[in-house]
Amino acid sequence: MKEIRIHGRGGQGSLVLAQFIAIAALEDGKYGQAFPFLGGGGERRGKPIMAFCRLSDQPIRLRSRVSEPDYVIVQDVTILNELDVAEGVKDTGMILVNTEKEAASLGLEGPFHVFSFSGDKLARETLGRPIINTAILGAFAAISKELSLAAALSAVRKKFSGELGEKNAQVVQESYKRLMRELS
Amino acid sequence: MQETEVLEGSEAVAFAVKACRPQVISAYPISPQTHIVEALARMIADGEMDSEYVRVESEFSAASVISGASAAGSRSYTASSSQGLLLMTEVLYASAGMRLPFVITGVNRAISVPISIQVDHQDTISLRDSGVIQFYVESSQEAYDTHIAAFKIAEDPGILLPVSVCMDGWILTHSYERVSFLEQEEVDRFLPPFKPKNFLDVNDPKSWGSYAEEDVLMEFKYSIHRAMQYGKERIKEIFSELATITGRDHGGLIEAYRTRDAEVILVAMGSMVGTIKEAIDKLRSQGQRVGLIKIRCYRPFPFEDILDNIKVAKVVAVMDANFSMGSEGALGMDLKAKLCGRRGAPLVLDCVAGLGGREVNEKRVLEIVERAREVEESGLPLDEPYWAGLRPEILPEGAENDRQGKIG
């Protein structure tokens, strides 16, 4: 089983990102589970929130919060000033931060890998809004190999129909391609 | 071939309710409400579902509307949570007394004050004595399946009582996971239209909820108890009939998990059960004889089935996500009342776990099993229930001397 913890701010689509990954898991023939942890007063725009996701070849019974993630996704780099996003990350784990800064300059030190990637420009150009969860989804698929591009695209189209779904699918495809190029 | 989707637990329940074709749905659309009634309202507005949706000004009215609709012979449904369920309470005692077979989803959330939107079972446990049948579920799939069974159980001529499917708020209602759906024709075959023998009819006037003197009231109450007590077998039959259609067997009134040779058996209900199963598998791989009884049906209380599965247990550790102030948790009380005086009965370790969303993770389960081992070794029960995960550092001074969780 692989466990993912997503840090973001209320309104950035962190939970939706977790949901995309869980929906994509089904497309890939796996089990997926996605759930929010809003703590401290429920849904509020701008407040740091967490969303969790689990992927497994077996049905997922565990329902506790993800405390030792294989992957951490940080949608908003300013959260690094507020909490330790590396808490509990497995030695073999990976942290993906949405920022234009270099990964090495983020002050995240440990045995895990740190990647930085900025989805802001791509999201603004294609969607007209800085909602970067679909850009991150493409990047995560490329870096982690935990979900296929086809499954990620299908998850986005399943959740958003019509033009919105198509535009977001385009963002996923672009960010996936970009990361694959950078990684090769 | 059943269609499978990854979707929100609330939405899965809305699809189950839709498939059951309720004729009347009534709800009060404000916190602590969930997406369930929102999704149903949308389905009706979009013409995907043929049902009368009555939006009311309070949960008291929602329960009243579906009681009236049910008395008039309509299959009826509502959902609520927390304070909303408390506000329904007065009506629900009456609905059970009038033997009205509707279904309520009780989305479990803590009761104010402090104000909270997090999960625990205090809300539905407060309805324990009302005459409403209560099921608790572990997953969105079980929630889906149990709602379909719930209408058939409620409407069974030998039962005729409201049924509440209790489902953990957030952890189930807001989670995305796999759910497989039945075909509409399969649900229709399993659950034929509601045709009660008695219903409100202007052409054949009858009274519901009439006055009862001391000479008959006890018999009315005993009849409700009897419908529950002797309805247990029928509930099991309906669950297994559905299991043959779905191919998914969630168990009967309980699910016994690795209990056969278990020395320590945990007893729990709701979404924490999955996490407990994971912890049990870990302990088993270390050679510990530990098992779990998941309570699926809490009212009627499935004592006979529990007893059959705890015969060799030395300690039964109950994890209650509710508490009766000044006493203990509901499951612990039920179990001890039934075990008292039985030769060779195991000791009961009462734990309070998961109040107000306090996390129940594997570590917490292992702590409880460790405590159960201490109880086993001492041969003595606890003085007072063990509040698992309590934070002594924020309690009033002196609380460290409390007898909470201490043995003998």
Side-chain angles (χ1 to χ4, degrees), chain B residues 219-251:
Chain B
E219 286 70 20
F220 269 95
K221 296 293 178 186
Y222 182 75
S223 302
I224 297 176
H225 169 66
R226 208 172 161 269
M228 280 209 182
Q229 191 64 11
Y230 297 97
K232 286 178 186 174
E233 287 310 312
R234 185 69 192 122
I235 294 172
K236 284 199 256 190
E237 278 168 25
I238 292 171
F239 278 151
S240 52
E241 187 190 337
L242 184 64
T244 58
I245 300 166
T246 60
R248 295 180 289 270
D249 187 358
H250 303 287

Side-chain angles (χ1 to χ4, degrees), chain A residues 139-154:
Chain A
F140 178 74
I143 299 174
S144 71
K145 313 275 189 285
E146 297 292 349
L147 55 150
S148 67
L149 174 63
L153 292 173
S154 151

Side-chain angles (χ1 to χ4, degrees), chain B residues 5-27:
Chain B
E5 251 191 80
V6 170
L7 78 172
E8 197 181 57
S10 287
E11 214 180 335
V13 168
F15 280 119
V17 172
K18 178 187 177 216
C20 293
R21 304 184 187 275
Q23 291 143 295
V24 177
I25 296 171
S26 183

